[in-house]
Amino acid sequence: MMIITLLALQGMQAFAFSGVPSFRGPVASGVRPSAALVNAAAKTPLFATTTSTDDYNDGPSRRDATFKIITAAVAVAGSLSSPSKANADSEGEGGGRTIEFTVNNLDGVEGATGSFVVRTRPDWAPIGAERFEALVANSFFEDCRVFRVLPGFVAQFGINGDPEVQGRWRSRNLRDDPVSVANKRGTIVFATAGPNTRTTQIFVNLSDRNSFLDKQGFSPLGEVVSGMDVVERFYSGYGEGAPSGKGPNQGLIQAKGNSYLESSYPKLSYFSKVSFK
């Protein structure tokens, strides 16, 4: 019973993906999340906003999704201890592309910079990998803020700072990829608002305890191959996003872009350059 209870709490932790995970939505590897984090996660949908601020604040379908995910997490608790998915680090390079992200405002300190490198894995998720590479090719991620960082769970980004640019991508939904590898620390994944709704929001898994996301359809499309120490320094001081926490409201990011984030959340880490290597 104690094991099932712990797994259920891990399942509730997934709801912290507000916004993709339609992407709305993690602590160093091996660190168990606090009770406060679990409670906040349980109140927040796993999914990202896709249209207006109303979607984030009071969409009944998103609330229903939250309860369904909690139920599902408990139902499959017995099977989560021995996932059948291959571990990300056991695979080859898979024919993907290598991308370097230069990050500013590490630890919320202006002028503190670093970089990390991602390799896409089309052998894991061909549709998602292709979209991620297209976003990089279009400079979509440059100047994007990492607006949601829950240590020990996920770091989430992928809403463009220019609402006009974001609007051009918002309706370009992708079909889902099957989940072929587990959600392990360092894997990168599209957030969703339900089946076949992936667009631009991304999260990086910050824990090896996130394999419960496999059952919920979150398909890793690549992995951080160097610089996870930099990823762990994304500023997390604002906590969970609104309405569950005091962090950024995804609907307002969609509507107002970086003008909202720079004035209200100036310490957020952001990408000054994103390029293929």
Side-chain angles (χ1 to χ4, degrees), residues 53 159-164 166 170 249-264:
T53 56
I159 301 178
N160 193 272
D162 182 341
E164 184 177 346
Q166 182 64 33
R170 187 178 297 129
N249 181 306
Q250 291 186 40
L252 291 177
I253 306 174
Q254 297 267 2
K256 298 182 178 182
N258 281 349
S259 63
Y260 161 63
L261 294 177
E262 290 170 355
S263 62
S264 300

Side-chain angles (χ1 to χ4, degrees), residues 74 220 224 238:
V74 175
V224 176
Y238 295 123

Side-chain angles (χ1 to χ4, degrees), residues 145-175:
R145 268 57 183 170
V146 186
F147 61 82
R148 186 167 185 253
V149 181
L150 301 178
F153 186 27
V154 298
Q156 188 171 334
F157 60 92
I159 301 178
N160 193 272
D162 182 341
E164 184 177 346
V165 172
Q166 182 64 33
R168 291 198 292 266
W169 289 91
R170 187 178 297 129
S171 61
R172 300 184 185 183
N173 290 0
L174 298 177
R175 299 192 315 279

Side-chain angles (χ1 to χ4, degrees), residues 25-39:
V27 172
S29 179
V31 178
R32 189 175 299 276
S34 66
L37 173 60
V38 172
N39 290 336

